[in-house]
């Protein structure tokens, strides 16, 4: 897909995020806005998927797992816009009885969701299992998993990082939404992550630095990862993003990690984001 069209979709997704979180006065707008470009590129340009014939086992298609499940508004919007379920259902986000819970879960049979996420640190382990299953089945598909930077304070992730490198899980592509912020403040202040590129490389991964909010850079890097799949090593996109991207007063701070905008703030945010596909 053309870069300009992907940018149009991302703008609409950001509008959806603001409206969803504002509508129920609950949720996580900051990280959702920041990660939008990468996941938009995955679903609309990169992944070989079948939204109208969703299967839990993911047989014959690429798979995506969202480990940092609190940024669910972004994922729900993209899945709806891609055709997994009606766009109108976005209006039910975090409502009582909805399929669009605050953290994604397959319990309600929501197409596109294969694991419950939100308990941080678990997504990489699931993605590794899915990737190895595909290799055992002789499939030439890729498994993608997005993780947060603050999420790397969880020990289970490092077990998975070590395992994937040691076992050569080369149909696995990890993505770090590297915005440098978490709920309690900058990641460097909460628990300094150090040199993440050097750490992953030490465990045998191929690592790419990229601007996660530059659609051209995102697509080019994902193309590289696809070209280098099945060559003996897992890969990681270390994607620098801006929490709250696209909304001036949400950028540059961790305060919008889990804070919904009020009426005035939502109106200001929406005025900064182009409506390109039609609001739900």
């Amino acid at each position: 897909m053309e870069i300009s069209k992907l940018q149009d979709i991302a703008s609409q997704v950001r509008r959806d995020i603001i409206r969803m979180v504002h509508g129920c006065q609950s949720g996580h707008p900051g990280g959702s806005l920041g990660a939008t470009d990468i996941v938009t590129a995955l679903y609309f340009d990169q992944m070989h998927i079948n939204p109208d014939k969703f299967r839990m086992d993911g047989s014959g298609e690429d798979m995506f797992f969202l480990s940092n499940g609190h940024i669910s508004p972004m994922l729900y919007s993209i899945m709806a816009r891609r055709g997994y379920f009606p766009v109108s259902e976005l209006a039910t986000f975090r409502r009582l009885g909805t399929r669009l819970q605050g953290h994604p879960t397959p319990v309600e049979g929501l197409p596109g969701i294969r694991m419950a996420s939100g308990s941080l640190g678990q997504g990489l382990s699931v993605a590794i299992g899915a990737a190895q299953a595909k290799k055992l089945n002789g499939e030439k598909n890729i498994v993608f998993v997005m993780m947060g930077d603050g999420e790397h304070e969880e020990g289970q992730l490092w077990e998975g990082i070590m395992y994937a490198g040691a076992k050569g899980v080369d149909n696995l592509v990890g993505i770090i939404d590297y915005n440098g912020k978490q709920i309690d403040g900058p990641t460097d202040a909460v628990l300094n992550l150090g040199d993440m590129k050097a750490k992953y490389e030490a465990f045998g991964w191929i690592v790419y630095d990229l601007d996660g909010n530059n659609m051209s850079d995102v697509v080019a890097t994902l193309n590289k990862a696809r070209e280098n799949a099945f060559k003996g090593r897992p890969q990681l996109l270390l994607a620098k993003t801006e929490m709250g991207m696209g909304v001036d007063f949400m950028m540059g701070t961790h305060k919008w990690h889990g804070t919904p905008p009020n009426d005035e703030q939502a109106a200001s945010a929406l005025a900064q984001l182009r409506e390109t596909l039609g609001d739900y």
Side-chain angles (χ1 to χ4, degrees):
M1 183 176 287
E2 294 178 4
I3 297 298
S4 61
K5 291 183 178 179
L6 291 171
Q7 291 170 331
D8 286 345
I9 295 169
S11 182
Q12 185 65 57
V13 168
R14 288 188 167 101
R15 287 184 63 87
D16 291 346
I17 291 166
I18 294 297
R19 298 183 71 239
M20 291 162 68
V21 175
H22 169 256
C24 65
Q25 282 297 287
S26 180
H28 297 77
S32 296
L33 292 167
T36 291
D37 300 296
I38 302 170
V39 183
T40 295
L42 279 174
Y43 273 83
F44 286 88
D45 181 71
Q46 291 286 322
M47 291 199 301
H48 303 143
I49 50 177
N50 299 297
D52 56 339
K53 297 179 180 178
F54 174 72
R55 293 177 51 170
M56 280 295 290
D57 65 6
S59 177
E61 61 180 332
D62 295 336
M63 300 173 74
F64 174 78
F65 293 97
L66 181 67
S67 188
N68 48 335
H70 56 279
I71 61 174
S72 61
M74 172 273 300
L75 181 60
Y76 291 149
S77 170
I78 289 171
M79 290 197 315
R81 298 289 176 180
R82 188 63 175 83
Y84 280 95
F85 56 87
V87 172
S88 60
E89 193 170 348
L90 296 176
T92 72
F93 176 64
R94 279 185 178 248
R95 306 289 184 176
L96 185 64
T98 180
R99 298 195 297 177
L100 307 188
Q101 297 184 27
H103 295 90
T105 173
V107 174
E108 302 298 333
L110 183 65
I113 300 298
R114 294 186 170 94
M115 67 167 283
S117 59
S119 296
L120 296 177
Q122 299 177 0
L124 179 59
S125 299
V126 176
I128 290 170
Q132 289 194 305
K134 285 188 173 296
K135 294 192 75 171
L136 288 171
N137 291 333
E139 295 184 32
K140 289 295 184 179
N141 294 104
I142 298 176
V143 176
F144 298 88
V145 56
M146 173 169 277
M147 303 164 281
D149 48 2
E151 183 180 5
H152 280 72
E153 294 162 15
E154 297 284 351
Q156 183 174 338
L157 268 181
W158 292 100
E159 294 179 47
I161 294 163
M162 178 171 59
Y163 180 92
K167 299 299 181 180
V169 187
D170 56 5
N171 58 337
L172 174 70
V173 176
I175 304 164
I176 298 180
D177 176 28
Y178 203 178
N179 57 38
K181 302 174 184 67
Q182 58 193 101
I183 192 168
D184 291 325
T187 53
D188 287 350
V190 177
L191 185 61
N192 196 312
L193 298 170
D195 189 337
M196 292 290 281
K197 182 175 184 178
K199 289 180 178 181
Y200 266 85
E201 288 178 337
F203 283 116
W205 290 58
I206 300 171
V207 182
Y208 308 95
D209 288 306
L210 70 148
D211 180 347
N213 295 131
N214 181 309
M215 191 64 79
S216 295
D217 198 9
V218 168
V219 171
T221 308
L222 286 170
N223 284 335
K224 289 180 185 177
R226 185 169 290 281
E227 291 170 4
N228 288 318
F230 299 98
K231 294 184 179 179
R233 298 168 65 187
Q235 301 178 83
L236 177 79
L237 276 61
L238 190 57
K240 293 292 182 66
T241 62
E242 181 64 55
M243 184 174 280
M245 185 66 187
V247 179
D248 56 8
F249 62 86
M250 290 187 176
M251 297 167 63
T253 176
H254 70 280
K255 295 181 179 180
W256 294 94
H257 172 95
T259 303
N262 60 29
D263 291 352
E264 182 179 353
Q265 291 163 337
S268 174
L270 291 172
Q272 300 175 51
L273 299 167
R274 293 179 299 118
E275 181 182 352
T276 57
L277 301 179
D279 289 334
Y280 62 84

